[in-house]
Amino acid sequence: MATSRTAKTRKVARRREPAPGAPALLGLTSDWYWEQDAELRFTRVEVRSDSPEEQARANGLIGKQRWETGIEIEGGWQAHKVMLEERAPFRDVLMWRTFPDGARRYVSVSGEPMFDAKGRFLGYRGIGRDVTKQKRIQQLLKLDHAVTLRLAEAASPAEGLSGALQAACEMLGWDCSELWTPDESGNVLRQYASWTAPGVPGAQRFIEGSRSFTFRPGEGLVGAVWQSGEPIWAPEAIKDARIRRMQLARECGLQATLLFPVRAGGQLAGVLEFSSRRIRQPDKRLWQTLGAIGTQIGQFLGRAAAERAVRDSEARFRALTNLSTDWYWELDSTYRFTRLEGRNVAGGDPELQKRLIGQPRWDTGLEVEGGWDAHRALLDARQPFHDLLMWRTVLDGSVRYMRVSGEALLNPDGSFAGYRGVGRDVTEEKRAEQMLRLEHEVARLLAAAEDSSAGLKGVMRTVCETEGFACGRYFRVDGEVLRFQDAWAIADPAVAPFIERSRVYVFRAGEGLTGTVLQSGEAVWSADITRDPRLRYRNAWQGTGLRGGFAFPVLAEGRIIGVLNFSSLKAREPDQRLLAASRVIGSQIGQFLRRKSAEASLRESEARFRSLTQMSSDFFWETDEAHRFTQLVHGPGYLPVEMGRGVIGKTAWELPCESPDEAGWAAHRDALDQHKPFRDFEFARRMPDGVVRVLSISGDPRFGPQGEFVGYRGVGRDVTEIALARERIASLAYSDPLTGLANRTSLLPALDQAVQRARRKGSRLAVVFLDLDGFKQINDLYGHDAGDALLIELAGRLRDNLRSSDLIARLGGDEFLVVLEEVQDPAPVETVAKKLLVETVRPYSLPGAQASVTASIGISIFPDDAADASALVKHADMAMYAAKQAGKNCCRFYSAGAAANDPARQTEYKPAS
């Protein structure tokens, strides 16, 4: 009988007295007792409750392991299983079960292992307690605390209310919540704040659809709570006849709703509403907690209204702090720092930050735009100031720029207390502006230079004075070596001899910094040349005081034709902005030198030609009083026979010509009618073989014995080659010799004209800045010939995919710029940018290889982003750098402000590659 009874106990759970060995455990005030076998399967479960449901639930556990019953455990089952395998006892482990209606039961379980007389493991036994009530109380207290914390720490009423609604929904399992408050008239309730659980589209639609609803007292469930001041819990709201948003709730799948009055100062301030997709029965404890939360929110609304006046009184202060997120400062009445705080104070130097306290700005090594005397006068007048530029030279020789704004502080009695304000670091912005100005100044100097030497010295002087270098030297390529050509230096007795010694220096590829540039084709930087093992002619540097070194290639048509080398009196760390600008400057100088070389060749050619034409002209001609040709004589074989056919008896403008235009002929006829002599009038005719020849004629009027006008006579010559040479020179000056696109020199005037057209028409234009990603690797892997072929192919693709009226320019290296006129909105610009990205990604067939590159594109819009050409280019360049920082192979629109090019303002597109 005993054996049978034991077996029955193992298979059926029932309410009974504790078994032997159990009383010690049951003495812990338990709700049930349990036992498990060696495989941790339930063999016995005894419950104290008489509820049939509890008995059935206990019976359902027999033969199962605990983790097979739908129960969750604090810390996870894996950790608990490890403890059971170690046969360790456990105490008050929290477990819970979630029921179909969303409710949870929490239990606290304790257990200990069982062993037989020989120490063999038999299983576990233990007790459990229902702690749902305690957990519910804890949750509600936690909810009350969370709501209090959200409201207390909120930066704004909207943030605080949204946070409170979020905390309540997340802790209590509701899908969405709304706060309804009276509008300005006080007659209706409108949605003031809301929160929706992520991943619940139905709830989101319900909230959005409710924003247009208003409720008068007694209208709908919301109006009913507002009128009565009593809460409403509707387990199935869609069956409640009072609901006004019945159709919206059905479409969104919402079921239960809970509404509570919000009170402030004894008055109803609004209605708090929670909604759920599940049918939920009323919970009295939740009612009490939500009542307290409603009171908290009401008090918060009251405080928010009271604080609004304070915020209005501090509007000027907020306006200042909103100018920057870098740092905040305060000065006392003697203009000494008393407070400095923020994320980028003193450039991140805590020691400098400490030293600044107690000092006025002008004693800290700072410089200010306009001078300190003018700024102190402004402070003495208690005037506010905005975006005042200041800068500081740091230990490594670099300059840190900042813009500072401030306003006077007054004591309650109106006496002056000091100043307060904000500052922001604008070093990157200023550095970009400096480099852009340097590039433009170089372009201006080269355009105005009379000869190569003047241009080179002008550029070297500008770079030295702008960037703090002591001297610059230019070495030209002569066969396989570099030889000295020109230099510029500051007035320093130690530097002048160094320049003289440099005149005899010769560098082969790889020798010294200069030769390293010739070998690699890339700019090089030496922070301290005296310690650089690459230095050649080391003795020549001794006694000069020169330390920093920087050299970059001068390129023409993709080939290195020289190297510019700059040296400074201080050791200098590499400047990435200057290194990047050197690519453009090197290309500008290369085009300039090649143009000057072509001009010199042309001058020499013209001198020889003039020498010949002084002895003989190409042809002789005469006209009558009506300017009709009467005679045309030319040397044998010089001009085609057809040249003279059809000329006699006609005026020059009656002959088929390619140029000039009608205005040009009209001016020429006017001069002839006034019987004035003329020289070197040029016109172009297409020969029978299709070749266009340019002819230049000079003539003097002829008069009869009585002084009457009888016609003209003169000479002419074929100047086709000279005209072509002029075109080549113009092309070198204003177009990129490699791709045939416009160059940087011609870009800005053309962009200025486009801006003026857009301004007159009241339209927009877009500047698209395209920079290749990884182009250096193409040169490194396949050589510069392959790189040039890629750039030429890319230029063709740009022409093929843009309008003929769109301006396309190569700025130098792998940088291109496109100007799109008559833009209505940014969307078409983005479409064009995407098309250019796709075209750039397509593989390139290079000599002996196939390669691919990507591009980063930056876009600025006139007049949205800038009002002039230089600023448009600068902003497009900044947007392009933002695209590179975003991972490259994408496009970005320019965005102004401290959060410049933030993704919230930007459009990013990455093509498949």
Side-chain angles (χ1 to χ4, degrees):
M1 291 294 292
T3 302
S4 174
R5 192 172 188 179
T6 302
K8 184 176 181 181
T9 303
R10 290 182 179 274
K11 295 179 180 177
V12 180
R14 56 193 178 89
R15 184 168 182 263
R16 53 170 289 172
E17 294 303 320
L25 293 170
L26 291 174
L28 299 175
T29 313
S30 63
D31 293 319
W32 62 87
Y33 170 78
W34 54 269
E35 289 184 3
Q36 294 173 335
D37 60 18
E39 295 180 352
L40 305 178
R41 299 184 183 278
F42 282 107
T43 60
R44 181 178 178 184
V45 180
E46 296 182 359
V47 297
R48 290 186 178 276
S49 173
D50 291 326
S51 168
E53 293 181 357
E54 288 297 317
Q55 292 290 336
R57 190 172 291 116
N59 288 337
L61 298 177
I62 300 302
K64 296 181 180 179
Q65 294 172 314
R66 202 184 301 270
W67 44 85
E68 298 174 343
T69 65
I71 293 177
E72 300 296 329
I73 185 172
E74 190 173 43
W77 283 116
Q78 188 59 39
H80 187 64
K81 289 177 182 179
V82 171
M83 184 192 69
L84 296 178
E85 290 173 358
E86 295 174 350
R87 313 310 183 207
F90 56 91
R91 295 288 182 269
D92 295 325
V93 175
L94 184 65
M95 303 182 188
W96 63 88
R97 181 191 304 278
T98 303
F99 293 103
D101 64 354
R104 278 185 178 177
R105 169 184 282 185
Y106 292 88
V107 296
S108 178
V109 181
S110 300
E112 63 182 5
M114 297 185 297
F115 303 92
D116 63 11
K118 295 182 179 182
R120 289 176 296 193
F121 176 64
L122 298 178
Y124 266 85
R125 65 179 177 182
I127 59 171
R129 291 182 296 118
D130 189 325
V131 294
T132 302
K133 180 178 179 181
Q134 294 93 316
K135 286 295 293 183
R136 190 63 168 161
I137 292 173
Q138 291 175 7
Q139 286 179 333
L140 296 180
L141 288 174
K142 184 178 180 181
L143 170 60
D144 186 69
H145 175 73
V147 170
T148 301
L149 195 63
R150 296 289 181 93
L151 294 176
E153 295 182 347
S156 65
E159 179 183 331
L161 293 169
S162 179
L165 299 181
Q166 178 183 358
C169 287
E170 289 180 341
M171 291 187 179
L172 300 176
W174 294 89
D175 294 321
C176 59
S177 180
E178 301 166 275
L179 175 62
W180 301 86
T181 59
D183 65 0
E184 294 180 357
S185 69
N187 297 324
V188 296
L189 292 178
R190 296 183 184 274
Q191 189 187 91
Y192 182 74
S194 63
W195 185 84
T196 305
V200 186
Q204 182 66 42
R205 290 200 305 273
F206 183 74
I207 293 296
E208 293 175 353
S210 298
R211 287 185 181 136
S212 61
F213 277 81
T214 59
F215 295 93
R216 296 183 180 277
E219 288 184 346
L221 296 178
V222 177
V225 174
W226 189 25
Q227 184 179 58
S228 66
E230 297 296 328
I232 293 177
W233 188 309
E236 292 185 80
I238 57 176
K239 296 182 178 180
D240 195 312
R242 296 172 294 179
I243 187 171
R244 278 188 60 199
R245 293 170 288 169
M246 178 77 72
Q247 185 62 32
L248 181 61
R250 289 183 185 277
E251 292 174 356
C252 298
L254 297 181
Q255 295 280 355
T257 186
L258 170 61
L259 302 98
F260 258 86
V262 174
R263 301 181 185 277
Q267 301 294 322
L268 277 175
V271 174
L272 189 60
E273 180 179 11
F274 295 89
S275 301
S276 172
R277 291 168 294 170
R278 301 192 310 272
I279 298 174
R280 300 185 58 162
Q281 299 302 324
D283 184 333
K284 292 183 179 180
R285 293 191 185 89
L286 178 57
W287 282 47
Q288 297 171 357
T289 301
L290 288 180
I293 291 174
T295 300
Q296 286 188 58
I297 292 177
Q299 293 172 351
F300 177 80
L301 291 172
R303 287 197 308 272
E307 291 167 356
R308 191 171 298 114
V310 177
R311 289 197 301 274
D312 291 341
S313 68
E314 295 179 349
R316 292 179 67 195
F317 177 72
R318 289 199 312 276
L320 283 172
T321 56
N322 286 338
L323 293 175
S324 171
T325 57
D326 284 354
W327 68 86
Y328 170 79
W329 55 267
E330 289 184 3
L331 308 177
D332 62 17
S333 58
T334 61
Y335 311 130
R336 299 179 184 275
F337 280 111
T338 59
R339 184 178 177 186
L340 274 169
E341 58 187 41
R343 64 180 179 86
N344 197 23
V345 179
D349 184 349
E351 293 301 321
L352 176 58
Q353 182 178 354
K354 292 179 182 179
R355 292 198 303 271
L356 292 176
I357 299 299
Q359 296 190 63
R361 278 196 175 93
W362 41 85
D363 290 343
T364 65
L366 272 177
E367 298 296 332
V368 65
E369 192 172 38
W372 285 117
D373 290 341
H375 184 61
R376 279 196 291 265
L378 180 144
L379 297 179
D380 292 340
R382 312 308 185 222
Q383 294 296 311
F385 55 93
H386 301 280
D387 284 336
L388 183 62
L389 182 65
M390 301 182 185
W391 61 91
R392 180 192 307 281
T393 302
V394 295
L395 294 177
D396 64 359
S398 62
V399 179
R400 178 173 176 251
Y401 293 89
M402 61 204 78
R403 288 203 178 271
V404 180
S405 301
E407 67 175 2
L409 280 171
L410 302 179
N411 291 313
D413 61 0
S415 61
F416 176 64
Y419 265 83
R420 66 179 175 186
V422 293
R424 56 191 176 94
D425 193 310
V426 295
T427 303
E428 286 299 315
E429 174 186 331
K430 288 296 295 181
R431 194 65 180 141
E433 290 177 2
Q434 289 173 345
M435 290 300 98
L436 192 60
R437 283 199 299 269
L438 177 60
E439 293 173 13
H440 290 172
E441 179 62 15
V442 166
R444 187 192 67 78
L445 286 171
L446 295 178
E450 294 184 358
D451 54 47
S452 299
S453 180
L456 283 169
K457 289 181 178 179
V459 170
M460 287 187 281
R461 177 174 182 170
T462 297
V463 173
C464 287
E465 292 178 344
T466 302
E467 296 301 312
F469 288 102
C471 64
R473 297 171 296 161
Y474 176 70
F475 295 86
R476 75 179 189 281
V477 171
D478 183 9
E480 296 182 354
V481 300
L482 289 165
R483 298 185 187 277
F484 179 91
Q485 178 171 327
D486 250 315
W488 184 90
I490 61 174
D492 188 308
V495 177
F498 173 74
I499 297 297
E500 289 303 314
R501 290 193 294 271
S502 298
R503 296 182 183 276
V504 298
Y505 291 166
V506 175
F507 295 94
R508 296 186 180 278
E511 292 181 345
L513 291 185
T514 306
T516 300
V517 174
L518 178 61
Q519 184 179 59
S520 67
E522 299 292 336
V524 297
W525 191 292
S526 179
D528 188 346
I529 195 71
T530 62
R531 299 181 180 180
D532 196 317
R534 297 172 293 181
L535 180 65
R536 194 174 181 223
Y537 304 115
R538 187 172 297 275
N539 292 337
W541 292 76
Q542 295 179 356
T544 64
L546 297 172
R547 299 284 299 280
F550 166 50
F552 59 89
V554 172
L555 302 171
E557 300 178 1
R559 297 288 185 272
I560 297 178
I561 64 171
V563 173
L564 266 173
N565 192 315
F566 292 91
S567 304
S568 64
L569 294 172
K570 294 181 180 179
R572 294 180 58 169
E573 293 300 318
D575 186 330
Q576 296 303 321
R577 284 282 187 180
L578 182 55
L579 284 168
S582 70
R583 296 164 54 194
V584 176
I585 295 173
S587 179
Q588 290 174 319
I589 296 173
Q591 293 181 41
F592 163 77
L593 292 175
R594 201 44 77 85
R595 174 165 57 89
K596 287 301 180 183
S597 176
E599 288 176 351
S601 298
L602 177 62
R603 284 194 298 272
E604 183 180 352
S605 174
E606 287 183 334
R608 291 195 302 267
F609 185 78
R610 282 194 300 272
S611 176
L612 289 173
T613 54
Q614 285 174 356
M615 297 181 290
S616 171
S617 59
D618 294 340
F619 57 91
F620 172 84
W621 57 269
E622 284 188 359
T623 62
D624 60 17
E625 70 280 3
H627 309 309
R628 295 183 294 261
F629 283 106
T630 59
Q631 190 175 6
L632 180 65
V633 180
H634 57 80
Y638 180 78
L639 292 173
V641 176
E642 291 81 4
M643 175 67 184
R645 293 178 181 174
V647 173
I648 304 302
K650 293 184 179 180
T651 63
W653 49 89
E654 290 174 339
L655 300 173
C657 294
E658 299 293 323
S659 68
D661 56 13
E662 291 184 4
W665 282 119
H668 183 60
R669 287 198 301 270
D670 183 67
L672 296 181
D673 290 340
Q674 295 180 49
H675 307 155
K676 294 180 179 180
F678 64 92
R679 297 291 182 269
D680 298 320
F681 175 76
E682 291 185 5
F683 61 97
R685 291 192 63 191
R686 186 173 298 278
M687 299 295 110
D689 60 1
V691 176
V692 175
R693 310 290 296 183
V694 180
L695 304 175
S696 174
I697 59 174
S698 299
D700 290 321
R702 295 183 296 125
F703 298 94
Q706 305 301 320
E708 73 276 17
F709 174 71
V710 296
Y712 270 85
R713 72 161 56 98
V715 295
R717 57 194 176 113
D718 187 335
V719 294
T720 303
E721 295 301 322
I722 296 175
L724 292 175
R726 283 201 304 265
E727 290 180 4
R728 284 196 296 271
I729 292 172
S731 176
L732 285 171
Y734 297 104
S735 65
D736 176 48
L738 179 64
T739 63
L741 300 176
N743 63 10
R744 183 179 290 269
T745 302
S746 61
L747 168 65
L748 282 179
L751 182 53
D752 278 329
Q753 294 173 8
V755 168
Q756 294 302 324
R757 286 195 296 272
R759 185 175 284 115
R760 288 195 301 269
K761 296 178 181 179
S763 63
R764 291 174 168 174
L765 66 80
V767 173
V768 180
F769 199 117
L770 183 150
D771 184 273
L772 295 182
D773 306 322
F775 178 71
K776 180 179 181 298
Q777 287 79 355
I778 298 295
N779 282 333
D780 292 343
L781 289 174
Y782 307 112
H784 288 282
D785 288 342
D788 290 349
L790 188 148
L791 293 176
I792 293 170
E793 172 64 20
L794 176 59
R797 295 182 186 181
L798 294 180
R799 291 190 189 96
D800 292 342
N801 286 276
L802 292 167
R803 299 172 299 188
S804 59
S805 60
D806 294 333
L807 173 62
I808 313 172
R810 181 186 175 210
L811 303 184
D814 56 353
E815 294 179 341
F816 296 81
L817 189 138
V818 176
V819 179
L820 305 176
E821 296 189 56
E822 298 184 1
V823 173
Q824 300 302 319
D825 56 72
V829 180
E830 181 184 358
T831 301
V832 172
K834 290 178 181 178
K835 182 167 64 172
L836 297 184
L837 285 177
V838 171
E839 285 299 314
T840 304
V841 168
R842 284 199 297 110
Y844 297 81
S845 295
L846 305 179
Q850 189 175 65
S852 295
V853 294
T854 61
S856 297
I857 290 180
I859 303 168
S860 63
I861 303 293
F862 170 88
D864 306 27
D865 300 328
D868 62 79
S870 295
L872 282 169
V873 174
K874 180 184 75 173
H875 290 169
D877 185 31
M878 294 170 66
M880 181 274 292
Y881 273 102
K884 284 193 178 292
Q885 293 170 0
K888 303 180 180 178
N889 194 22
C890 62
C891 60
R892 285 290 179 92
F893 281 86
Y894 169 76
S895 178
N901 307 300
D902 189 87
R905 166 70 171 83
Q906 304 300 326
T907 297
E908 177 176 343
Y909 169 77
K910 288 180 176 286
S913 59

